[in-house]
Amino acid sequence: MSPRVSVVVPAYNNAEYIGETIESILDQTFTDFELIIADHSSTDETLAVVEKYDDSRIRVLTTETGGGAKRNWDRVTAEATGELVKLVCGDDTIFPSSLEAQVAAFDEHPSAVLVASQRTLIDANGKTVIAARGLGGLSGLVSGRVAARTAVRAGANIFGEPGCVMMKLSALREIGLWDNNHPYLIDQATFIGVALQGDVVAIERPLATFRINSGQWSVELATQQARQAADFHRSLGALEPGLLSATDIRLGNGKALATSFMRRAVYLLLRHRMSKN
């Protein structure tokens, strides 16, 4: 029989942290899950660390080089067999009750296609930077269209990083797996595509961690992120008539630009916490 949940981990050069990621998944209070890990031809010891774990729930795949994040995210997700799927990046972790809480939300709300929680931001050493963040004011069961509009108006990924989110695998497959039309928004665009197929449940407590990293420092990157967010807002408005007003798009574009530079400023302030002691 297939497990209820598939937890999928696309790994790339995560040797420093992937052990923590795997252990956080294996330590779940909910146990009816499979764990699929796909190493994207890492050049460090990622695969060696992964292969140390001897657990019948784990399957390990390798992905050839190239294709960016989408190639490995699609590869590992396509192997999932559960009704529900959660992607956890190879340097993040989930709380012990994460799967239990999100499966319970699906059981309570059959119309839901996506369940999201807040997350805790941590530094390279696992120390808390921000204890609880995310959801943009959403709480409980909300329409997927309301959630999508809220995300656009916030100019940010209110659903959080992938470890915060669990989706119905059938809904994710309906949109062709991960949406990479705007690469910096691969997670947010995908979550919105899934959300528009039903309802969303927002759990107002952190169930995952996100490790901040130095890859967000440059002004150029901040500008690219904001530009792609604006393009995504416009394309979403064209694809979903009546979902967004011109005001929604203008507001979201402005907030996306402000947020990208604010994020860069925070990361520069915390740059001394970006690597392990």
Side-chain angles (χ1 to χ4, degrees):
M1 292 181 62
S2 297
R4 183 77 189 280
V5 177
S6 296
V7 182
V8 299
V9 177
Y12 177 69
N13 286 351
N14 299 128
E16 250 189 324
Y17 303 112
I18 195 157
E20 295 176 42
T21 301
I22 293 170
E23 288 166 18
S24 78
I25 296 166
L26 296 179
D27 288 344
Q28 290 296 298
T29 56
F30 180 89
T31 58
D32 185 16
F33 68 88
E34 64 180 350
L35 171 55
I36 308 170
I37 305 168
D39 178 60
H40 201 171
S41 300
S42 294
T43 57
D44 65 1
E45 296 301 309
T46 295
L47 189 57
V49 174
V50 170
E51 290 177 338
K52 290 179 181 178
Y53 289 87
D54 182 15
D55 190 296
S56 61
R57 293 170 292 182
I58 298 178
R59 274 194 288 150
V60 181
L61 313 172
T62 56
T63 303
E64 294 179 356
T65 58
K70 178 176 172 60
R71 183 172 189 179
N72 206 28
W73 289 30
D74 278 357
R75 160 93 161 123
V76 72
T77 305
E79 293 289 328
T81 65
E83 172 198 352
L84 306 170
V85 63
K86 173 188 284 291
L87 186 146
V88 182
C89 294
D91 56 355
D92 295 333
T93 64
I94 57 176
F95 290 10
S97 61
S98 176
L99 299 188
E100 181 179 7
Q102 293 187 312
V103 169
F106 276 109
D107 288 342
E108 184 178 355
H109 303 289
S111 63
V113 291
L114 183 149
V115 175
S117 75
Q118 293 182 317
R119 76 278 204 192
T120 296
L121 273 61
I122 61 173
D123 65 12
N125 297 291
K127 295 181 179 179
T128 298
V129 175
I130 300 176
R133 181 173 175 82
L135 300 181
L138 298 182
S139 178
L141 183 70
V142 297
S143 159
R145 291 180 69 84
V146 169
R149 188 180 306 114
T150 301
V152 170
R153 288 178 62 86
N157 182 9
I158 64 170
F159 306 99
E161 290 69 38
C164 303
V165 173
M166 183 179 286
M167 296 174 282
K168 284 191 174 176
L169 183 56
S170 58
L172 181 55
R173 285 178 171 155
E174 182 68 25
I175 63 169
L177 300 181
W178 296 91
D179 182 348
N180 199 46
N181 290 323
H182 305 87
Y184 289 122
L185 281 75
I186 184 172
D187 46 2
Q188 180 183 348
T190 300
F191 298 154
I192 287 177
V194 168
L196 290 172
Q197 299 177 56
D199 292 331
V200 168
V201 179
I203 299 176
E204 290 185 284
R205 67 178 189 276
L207 293 175
T209 68
F210 171 66
R211 198 180 302 271
I212 58 176
N213 66 81
S214 58
Q216 303 286 338
W217 288 8
S218 72
V219 171
E220 180 183 1
L221 181 57
T223 303
Q224 290 175 352
Q225 288 174 326
R227 185 180 300 118
Q228 287 194 16
D231 289 343
F232 171 65
H233 298 160
R234 286 190 289 268
S235 64
L236 180 62
L239 286 170
E240 295 288 336
L243 176 66
L244 303 172
S245 68
T247 299
D248 291 334
I249 293 173
R250 284 196 301 271
L251 180 63
N253 292 351
K255 286 190 174 181
L257 182 61
T259 297
S260 65
F261 280 95
M262 181 172 63
R263 184 186 302 119
R264 174 181 176 270
V266 170
Y267 287 163
L268 285 171
L269 183 65
L270 298 174
R271 61 187 179 276
H272 62 287
R273 299 175 63 175
M274 296 291 185
S275 57
K276 281 191 172 182
N277 295 334

